[in-house]
Amino acid sequence: MKEKIRIKDIAQRAGVSVGTVDRVLHGRPNVSPSAREKVEKALSEMNYQPNVYASALAYNKSYTFYLVIPQHESETYWEEIEEGAKKAVETRRDFNLETKTLYYERLKEESFKKVAATCLQEKPDGVVIVPATLNLTRAFTDQLHELNIPFVLLDSYMPELNPLSFFGQDSFKSGYFSARILMMVAHQEKQIVLMKRNKDGKVTSKQQENREVGFRHYMSEHFPEIEIIELGLPMKTTKKEYDLRLENFFNEHPQIHHCITFGSKAHIMGDFLLRTNRRSTQIMGYDMVGKNAECLRQGSVSFLVAQHAYQQGYCCIDTLFKAIVLKKKVEPVNYMPIELLTKENMDFYRRTQL
């Protein structure tokens, strides 16, 4: 067992006082350059490794991290984000961590502004943010910078905001990858459908926009002759309304056999196809949420791209913990895997694996 290095041992080696060593170890002022150099040299020669966990525990401070995320339904990508964040807090429960979640409504500036103001008023120790538009989010993050509150971006990467870290997929490459996989089975088609859920004609996620850019980039490079037909579905409506819109679409486009969607709602069409016995149409979608998994199992969804939402939620909180509590350096950009699931391998996908 390695012998514990005491502060008095370091002081003796450096030829300085114990108080000087203590100030250097804890980053305190009032240490001359020459004394600091002696202590740092002694630390290096003795291969001193501080016990950051013990120091953080001894400090006995509590920490509150906020999640600023979109409003959502159950069984969604965002719900898994929250579950992962809660697990990270549970894992570090000895350090008095707590998370609080604030929800904003997509595409509503006032909703995001209100949530941002509430978050700032609460003076959190760190924040996880799913960005809105760049300018709107910047107004929030500029204030966080002024208050020295670290923040992590989730889902959409905006390097201009200078976050502590980012977790999410490379959206462009994800869309490009999806197109490549889809066209392995749809290369003989003349038309494919792109299903987009929108609000007032706008897609609610920057990440989905970037996926579509990657998808269309691949298609223009390799299959410019294939027509991409957009099917818009409103964000908030009834199952009956969805059925009516889908029924009308397939009556107007009986030759459609392949669909892609860049959100986590492939099951809207997948469930419709199962109930109406339209087995000739196949879907590619995103996220291993429960309803999507059932459609994948029953065959109306052929492929799902998984992005480990649970792991993202966990890692965002864990990164704040490491940076704020343990004072460790963290990775600034963390791209998640782009994983392809089918009914043959879906049972081996571990949603909560870290």
Side-chain angles (χ1 to χ4, degrees):
M1 184 176 177
K2 189 175 180 180
E3 186 176 352
K4 182 178 179 181
I5 299 175
R6 301 171 298 176
I7 290 182
K8 66 180 295 185
D9 299 325
I10 301 169
Q12 186 175 6
R13 179 78 168 244
V16 299
S17 69
V18 169
T20 297
V21 174
D22 184 74
R23 286 193 291 274
V24 171
L25 289 177
H26 293 91
R28 299 191 184 107
N30 301 322
V31 180
S32 68
S34 61
R36 185 179 299 278
E37 183 179 349
K38 290 178 183 178
V39 173
E40 289 175 348
K41 181 181 179 182
L43 293 173
S44 177
E45 291 173 349
M46 300 172 77
N47 193 28
Y48 175 75
Q49 298 293 329
N51 190 336
V52 292
Y53 277 79
S55 297
L57 282 170
Y59 194 44
N60 198 33
K61 185 181 184 300
S62 61
Y63 302 87
T64 302
F65 300 145
Y66 272 67
L67 277 73
V68 176
I69 66 174
Q71 293 176 359
H72 59 84
E73 304 164 5
S74 62
E75 289 197 25
T76 63
Y77 165 80
W78 304 114
E79 188 175 52
E80 293 195 8
I81 292 287
E82 290 188 82
E83 289 177 9
K86 290 176 183 176
K87 182 62 177 179
V89 168
E90 179 185 329
T91 302
R92 309 292 192 182
R93 58 183 176 272
D94 291 343
F95 292 88
N96 301 316
L97 301 188
E98 180 184 12
T99 60
K100 294 183 179 181
T101 306
L102 298 173
Y103 304 97
Y104 67 89
E105 190 171 348
R106 288 279 201 180
L107 300 180
K108 282 199 172 182
E109 287 193 11
E110 288 307 314
S111 176
F112 186 87
K113 289 179 179 179
K114 184 177 180 181
V115 164
T118 299
C119 183
L120 291 166
Q121 188 176 12
E122 295 294 323
K123 298 181 180 178
D125 296 287
V127 187
V128 177
I129 307 170
V130 175
T133 63
L134 176 61
N135 289 337
L136 191 60
T137 309
R138 193 200 301 272
F140 179 30
T141 57
D142 281 352
Q143 293 180 78
L144 292 173
H145 282 303
E146 289 177 9
L147 296 169
N148 292 317
I149 299 174
F151 64 91
V152 173
L153 292 184
L154 171 64
D155 190 56
S156 297
Y157 185 34
M158 297 179 178
E160 306 94 328
L161 304 182
N162 296 315
L164 171 69
S165 188
F166 162 76
F167 285 89
Q169 281 188 342
D170 183 318
S171 303
F172 179 89
K173 289 184 178 179
S174 177
Y176 196 93
F177 168 83
S178 298
R180 182 191 292 273
I181 298 300
L182 179 65
M183 298 320 295
M184 287 181 179
V185 295
H187 59 277
Q188 293 183 335
E189 299 297 315
K190 294 181 179 181
Q191 298 174 323
I192 57 175
V193 59
L194 169 57
M195 187 182 85
K196 300 167 69 171
R197 293 177 77 233
N198 55 59
K199 183 175 181 181
D200 300 326
K202 296 181 180 179
V203 175
T204 59
S205 166
K206 186 65 176 177
Q207 187 184 59
Q208 290 181 42
E209 289 182 4
N210 290 338
R211 287 171 183 166
E212 183 178 342
V213 172
F215 170 80
R216 289 186 180 275
H217 191 77
Y218 179 89
M219 294 299 292
S220 66
E221 282 184 343
H222 301 281
F223 295 93
E225 73 282 2
I226 294 181
E227 182 184 6
I228 301 170
I229 301 175
E230 290 193 12
L231 169 61
L233 298 178
M235 287 289 292
K236 293 182 178 181
T237 190
T238 63
K239 185 175 181 180
K240 183 177 179 181
E241 175 64 19
Y242 280 141
D243 282 356
L244 179 60
R245 286 175 179 254
L246 291 170
E247 185 71 41
N248 290 338
F249 177 83
F250 282 107
N251 286 339
E252 294 173 6
H253 303 87
Q255 75 285 2
I256 289 290
H257 300 296
H258 293 278
C259 169
I260 188 165
T261 183
F262 297 115
S264 60
K265 297 292 186 177
H267 60 82
I268 291 175
M269 183 180 287
D271 178 62
F272 172 81
L273 296 177
L274 291 172
R275 287 185 286 107
T276 56
N277 201 29
R278 284 181 166 87
R279 297 282 179 167
S280 63
T281 304
Q282 297 295 305
I283 308 168
M284 183 169 191
Y286 275 72
D287 299 324
M288 187 65 164
V289 297
K291 291 178 180 179
N292 281 350
E294 186 58 30
C295 288
L296 187 64
R297 197 180 304 278
Q298 294 195 44
S300 61
V301 170
S302 297
F303 304 108
L304 286 174
V305 177
Q307 54 180 330
H308 291 285
Y310 179 96
Q311 183 177 350
Q312 290 183 57
Y314 184 100
C315 290
C316 284
I317 296 299
D318 194 52
T319 293
L320 288 175
F321 166 77
K322 289 176 179 176
I324 296 170
V325 182
L326 300 185
K327 313 297 183 186
K328 288 186 173 183
K329 290 184 179 180
V330 296
E331 287 294 325
V333 180
N334 302 272
Y335 285 122
M336 305 305 294
I338 302 172
E339 297 188 338
L340 187 68
L341 301 179
T342 68
K343 65 180 180 181
E344 289 79 19
N345 71 347
M346 62 179 291
D347 291 332
F348 307 108
Y349 175 72
R350 298 291 180 262
R351 183 177 64 85
T352 59
Q353 185 176 1
L354 295 171

